[in-house]
Amino acid sequence: MTLTASEFVEWVLKNAARVTEYSNGGDGSNGKCDCIGLVIGAWRMSGNKWPWVHGSNYAARYLTDNLEADSALHFGDLVYKARPPGTQYYNLPDSYKNHPDKNDYYHVGVVTNEYPLEIVHCTSVQGGIKVDDKRG
């Protein structure tokens, strides 16, 4: 099933509401979630299956249309944090070593409002969910 941006954001916010803590591999279904799990859980809650890899590197490469660093952010967009090769903490998984994009996409959030900007993401803060008002 295809979702509009509004429907997708609605499911992301519903999934975020059930998250109580950050946990690698979680999708929110048991209160535990990681960054891409927020997206995966929302997709599943909407009645869809997630047949792809659980990882922000996978989503950035194969499920995202525009990875321009300075592009405008729009409602429903996925926003990634990435480390280029040679930078501190760079840790590209082996399964992407032969991909032409050598960035390590280590974190993702969802734009839930454009004006003012709000980016919701699951991270290691109290309660697992953080809302940012800028890139970073």
Side-chain angles (χ1 to χ4, degrees):
M1 167 171 57
T2 303
L3 298 176
T4 65
S6 293
E7 291 168 332
F8 174 63
V9 167
E10 181 180 334
W11 286 111
V12 166
L13 293 173
K14 285 180 181 179
N15 194 27
R18 65 185 187 162
V19 172
T20 58
E21 67 181 276
Y22 177 87
S23 179
N24 280 332
D27 71 355
S29 58
N30 64 352
K32 298 177 181 182
C33 186
D34 64 13
C35 62
I36 193 63
L38 182 63
V39 173
I40 293 170
W43 189 248
R44 288 176 174 156
M45 288 174 72
S46 72
N48 289 291
K49 294 193 183 309
W50 185 268
W52 307 291
V53 173
H54 185 116
S56 54
N57 271 293
Y58 183 89
R61 284 173 175 75
Y62 301 111
L63 302 176
T64 304
D65 291 333
N66 180 4
L67 290 174
E68 296 292 324
D70 295 324
S71 64
L73 297 178
H74 301 287
F75 184 74
D77 281 355
L78 299 184
V79 181
Y80 297 91
K81 288 184 178 182
R83 295 183 186 106
T87 59
Q88 188 175 15
Y89 305 116
Y90 178 81
N91 189 23
L92 184 66
D94 288 341
S95 55
Y96 303 106
K97 299 283 186 191
N98 293 324
H99 192 278
D101 184 347
K102 300 301 183 198
N103 287 316
D104 174 16
Y105 298 95
Y106 67 94
H107 191 67
V108 63
V110 179
V111 176
T112 57
N113 199 50
E114 285 185 55
Y115 306 102
L117 181 62
E118 290 181 355
I119 301 170
V120 173
H121 54 110
C122 188
T123 190
S124 57
V125 296
Q126 179 83 23
I129 297 294
K130 185 174 182 190
V131 180
D132 286 319
D133 60 3
K134 63 182 186 246
R135 295 180 197 238

